[in-house]
Amino acid sequence: MRDDHNDEAELLARVDRLLAVLSQPRTPLPPPEERVRLREAAALSTAQIADTLRCHSDDVAQWEAGTQEPLAAHRAAYAHLLDGLAALPPPRPHNEPSPQHAPTTAPAEQAEQPTLFSTPLSPAQAPPSSRPPQPAIIPAGPLAVIDHTDTLIAHFTNGTRLPLNTSDLVDLLRWALDSGLSREPLSSHDKPGDPLLVLTAAASTALGLPTELDDRAALRLPATHPALVHLDQAGFKLTHRGFGPWPRAYLPPVNKQRRSVQLAITAWGALSEDGWHLPPLPPTDLAHLLGLYTERLLTPRGSTAVCGQELMTALRPPTKPVRDPSSGTWISGPNPGALHQALEPAPPEAPDAHPLAEGRPPEHAMQEEAWDWSRQPDTQETSRYPHVVGLDTNLAFLSAASSLPVALNSPPRHVMAPTFDKKTPGCWYCDLSQTDLDPRLPSPFTATGQAPAGPGWYTTPTLEYAQSLGIDVRPIEAYLRNETGRYLDPWYKRLRNAYMATMADLGVHEKIPQADYLTAMSKLAAADPAQLALLAAIKATAKGGLGKLREGPRYIASPYTRWPALNKPTWRPDIRAAVIAKARVILHGKIRKLAEQTGRYPLAVLSDCVLYPARTPSALDIVPDGPDQQGIQGLIRLGVNPGCSKVEGTQSTSWYQHQLTQGLNPARYIKNEAPGR
């Protein structure tokens, strides 16, 4: 039974001890701004001062901000240090010869290196003579993989490792804030990336975290868990998603400096679910692999879809510093070319769960989605072509995002009987049902590939393609947007470069003959599983980032109620629809031109995978060589670049027909059932 009397006595004793400290004479300190000036004049970091005074750099930052004052021995020592800094001679110019004697303070480039010990010891606990020597290893890169054997060990992306003098989560987070781990900004108005700590299962156990989460629905550690109670007592806060596989813990900013740490709990599926499918790797190899992902894209922040969305924002930050004309001070303002405000969609663009979809007839919902189409081969095709070959477009939707004009921050405006303008992003209601199209090709205007039965809502890329086919495009009404930009361009370029660099590491290079490309791709199955997992993560980041543009509700409490994603500037179903439509019409143009040149027509299409009849089980039987054996521009061609194709699988014509009799689209299964796969 709880003893309230003993608790009261202990609390009173603690208060008496605090009052005794406060009653001691208080050593005077210079104003906070002078403390900052003296430290910076000596080229010292807050971490160095914290290491000297046996405290955390957070404490020094708060002393300099004036939000907290040092007490007792810390105050006297801090005052003594500041007095000594004030007495130092002015720093020498860089071109002045150095004195004969070694300087007593570290050079500026060394001064910025953080302390490597995160658990502070009071002077009474550890006199200076008993302190362990400073390790020579300095944390490097944006992240560390934390493992545990006899102690916690940080593994860095450059292959180095460092034993950590800490045993609890609070001290580990403080070490991360002091360590200097960070990612460089990805654009002129981006901020440095938060340090990432990846906890192995052994490290999680050592830090008192459970091996798995009891709440399998929410995937969150309860707030009453001792580790989270300790975090809260230390002043750390969590985001609204709590402490799950990808938690983020942060302290209040000091001097407007962000103090946040991202964690990845591998025991809870952080790198084996949600688009991540990394094989089991030793900590050093895992750090290296995640370092490559960060170097080529960004520091992982969650699922690959979340990373895709975060990459958009980092490359096009919503705000930038602007000068207030009235006060002359710098304030936050909109960043041109970025998405900086949440917008409501046009009614046809709204997903079925959206409040704007309530009562909407099905025919008034825009259906700009990827293809799911197949057809029965005719007798001639069956007799001439005993094989079917699936050709999959590399990063088709990412490729379609390149140079695509999309709407930015202007809300949709409703217009009746507008004149179609291919330069205006919008949602157009138009009748394309009278168009005469070759039945051996899927219709470019519907997701089913069947000709439209009446008027429908289309994006600008779809109607622009219809015009290119000679169709008279006369919209009945439209929802148009005025502000336009190529928002996705830097996102496309970074993802493309990451994909191409990883493919090159796997031995698949661009600008090689199509036959050599097929040979190189045939060797991928025997490639390093870690490199293949990195490639898959990059591709999933691209796909997932586009999916986040139309993120649905996690839980449906009741129909037509809003969900949190709707409040994000990056929730833009109109941009997603434009990208998908662009990818669909690009592919239609390629298969149409291939049919015109070779007489070969597709049998089925699923999203970006096209099945063709073939004389031999080889893609070279379908695609022309071209003058340099690299295919022909504007047609389907084999190659590593986004927008080019690879072989998805090969089967017999009888297999194809059997799939049709089962009511299936053979393009969905040709990869899984291909011989030798």
Side-chain angles (χ1 to χ4, degrees):
M1 183 176 179
R2 181 178 173 180
D3 191 335
D4 291 339
H5 177 75
N6 289 340
D7 285 352
E8 180 181 352
E10 180 183 353
L11 291 175
L12 290 173
R14 290 170 63 89
V15 170
D16 288 340
R17 287 195 293 270
L18 176 62
L19 291 174
V21 169
L22 294 174
S23 64
Q24 296 176 359
R26 307 189 71 184
T27 307
L29 293 172
E33 58 272 13
E34 178 65 7
R35 304 169 196 175
V36 177
R37 189 195 69 78
L38 290 171
R39 175 180 60 77
E40 292 180 345
L44 291 173
S45 67
T46 56
Q48 279 186 296
I49 293 179
D51 182 55
T52 302
L53 299 180
R54 308 289 198 278
C55 65
H56 288 297
S57 61
D58 288 339
D59 297 327
V60 179
Q62 291 179 353
W63 300 341
E64 292 184 350
T67 57
Q68 178 180 305
E69 288 293 304
L71 298 176
H74 276 146
R75 185 180 184 91
Y78 186 45
H80 182 62
L81 171 65
L82 295 177
D83 288 342
L85 295 180
L88 289 177
R92 292 176 176 273
H94 289 293
N95 59 356
E96 185 173 323
S98 59
Q100 293 180 352
H101 299 288
T104 57
T105 57
E109 61 268 21
Q110 295 179 6
E112 291 303 317
Q113 301 294 354
T115 179
L116 301 181
F117 293 95
S118 59
T119 305
L121 302 176
S122 67
Q125 292 174 311
S129 59
S130 68
R131 293 186 64 218
Q134 182 88 347
I137 298 172
I138 299 298
L143 59 92
V145 175
I146 309 299
D147 193 25
H148 184 271
T149 50
D150 296 331
T151 186
L152 289 176
I153 301 175
H155 297 258
F156 304 114
T157 58
N158 64 357
T160 59
R161 44 182 275 173
L162 176 68
L164 300 180
N165 188 21
T166 181
S167 59
D168 65 62
L169 190 58
V170 168
D171 280 346
L172 181 63
L173 293 176
R174 285 176 170 161
W175 170 83
L177 292 173
D178 292 345
S179 68
L181 294 174
S182 182
R183 166 188 58 77
E184 292 295 320
L186 298 185
S187 62
S188 56
H189 303 299
D190 185 30
K191 294 180 175 61
D194 294 337
L196 168 65
L197 300 182
V198 180
L199 305 186
T200 67
S204 296
T205 301
L207 291 168
L209 299 176
T211 55
E212 62 181 28
L213 293 171
D214 293 333
D215 188 345
R216 302 307 301 168
L219 289 177
R220 298 293 178 266
L221 195 65
T224 55
H225 190 277
L228 300 193
V229 173
H230 190 196
L231 281 182
D232 183 67
Q233 292 172 342
F236 280 95
K237 305 297 181 185
L238 301 174
T239 63
H240 70 279
R241 292 196 173 183
F243 202 91
W246 289 93
R248 184 164 61 85
Y250 61 94
L251 292 170
V254 172
N255 294 331
K256 299 183 179 180
Q257 295 298 312
R258 179 183 175 97
R259 298 189 295 165
S260 177
V261 180
Q262 179 72 58
L263 293 115
I265 317 296
T266 60
W268 301 347
L271 291 169
S272 56
E273 300 173 1
D274 298 325
W276 295 99
H277 300 289
L278 302 189
L281 293 170
T284 300
D285 294 344
L286 179 59
H288 174 70
L289 187 69
L290 294 177
L292 283 177
Y293 181 91
T294 302
E295 177 187 338
R296 293 172 183 177
L297 291 180
L298 79 167
T299 310
R301 293 285 303 274
S303 69
T304 52
V306 167
C307 291
Q309 186 180 53
E310 291 286 338
L311 183 61
M312 289 183 193
T313 304
L315 294 169
R316 297 275 201 193
T319 60
K320 71 169 188 175
V322 296
R323 193 175 292 277
D324 186 348
S326 59
S327 65
T329 59
W330 290 98
I331 59 173
S332 179
N335 184 19
L339 303 178
H340 50 73
Q341 62 177 331
L343 295 175
E344 289 294 291
E349 299 165 347
D352 290 340
H354 195 280
L356 289 176
E358 186 173 7
R360 180 184 64 189
E363 64 271 17
H364 282 283
M366 187 168 67
Q367 300 293 337
E368 291 280 31
E369 297 294 341
W371 271 323
D372 186 350
W373 170 86
S374 59
R375 68 176 177 88
Q376 182 72 41
D378 59 35
T379 304
Q380 185 180 15
E381 288 173 322
T382 303
S383 61
R384 292 183 61 188
Y385 304 110
H387 305 279
V388 289
V389 177
L391 301 178
D392 180 72
T393 307
N394 300 321
L395 295 172
F397 301 108
L398 176 68
S399 179
S402 173
S403 302
L404 177 66
V406 298
L408 296 180
N409 299 291
S410 54
R413 54 185 177 87
H414 190 218
V415 182
M416 296 300 297
T419 300
F420 177 67
D421 178 8
K422 66 181 182 181
K423 296 182 179 179
T424 302
C427 176
W428 312 77
Y429 192 58
C430 191
D431 190 355
L432 301 176
S433 61
Q434 305 305 314
T435 305
D436 186 19
L437 297 173
D438 192 320
R440 292 172 295 181
L441 296 176
S443 168
F445 309 130
T446 65
T448 63
Q450 306 301 319
W457 290 95
Y458 303 100
T459 62
T460 299
T462 298
L463 293 192
E464 181 183 0
Y465 184 69
Q467 271 193 340
S468 73
L469 297 177
I471 299 172
D472 185 15
V473 174
R474 295 186 180 183
I476 301 167
E477 59 178 307
Y479 289 90
L480 308 179
R481 293 173 170 89
N482 297 329
E483 187 184 353
T484 306
R486 295 180 176 179
Y487 172 72
L488 295 173
D489 258 11
W491 185 76
Y492 159 77
K493 291 174 182 175
R494 189 160 179 87
L495 278 161
R496 178 203 178 275
N497 292 342
Y499 165 78
M500 295 296 289
T502 307
M503 289 298 288
D505 290 345
L506 289 164
V508 185
H509 303 277
E510 59 179 328
K511 296 182 179 179
I512 58 175
Q514 295 184 120
D516 294 345
Y517 170 71
L518 291 179
T519 301
M521 290 295 290
S522 68
K523 299 176 181 178
L524 277 188
D528 179 8
Q531 286 288 340
L532 291 175
L534 173 61
L535 178 67
I538 291 170
K539 294 165 69 175
T541 302
K543 181 179 180 180
L546 290 172
K548 278 285 187 179
L549 293 170
R550 197 190 181 190
E551 181 181 358
R554 289 176 174 267
Y555 310 101
I556 301 178
S558 59
Y560 310 117
T561 56
R562 297 184 64 84
W563 59 93
L566 303 185
N567 300 321
K568 297 179 181 178
T570 50
W571 191 84
R572 292 296 298 271
D574 58 303
I575 296 180
R576 173 187 175 272
V579 171
I580 292 177
K582 185 68 175 178
R584 194 181 62 241
V585 299
I586 287 175
L587 184 55
H588 188 275
K590 290 179 179 180
I591 63 178
R592 176 174 59 84
K593 293 174 183 176
L594 183 64
E596 293 171 352
Q597 182 156 331
T598 68
R600 201 77 59 96
Y601 288 84
L603 295 174
V605 186
L606 182 75
S607 186
D608 51 6
C609 178
V610 188
L611 265 58
Y612 273 100
R615 298 181 186 88
T616 65
S618 171
L620 296 176
D621 182 67
I622 301 165
V623 296
D625 279 339
D628 54 2
Q629 286 76 51
Q630 295 183 31
I632 298 176
Q633 188 74 30
L635 277 62
I636 293 179
R637 55 183 181 142
L638 305 176
V640 69
N641 284 282
C644 291
S645 295
K646 65 179 184 294
V647 175
E648 185 75 355
T650 303
Q651 275 292 346
S652 65
T653 301
S654 60
W655 172 89
Y656 177 88
Q657 291 178 318
H658 178 71
Q659 297 293 309
L660 290 183
T661 61
Q662 303 298 309
L664 305 174
N665 184 342
R668 185 182 300 277
Y669 303 100
I670 194 166
K671 179 178 182 179
N672 295 336
E673 300 192 20
R677 288 176 180 259

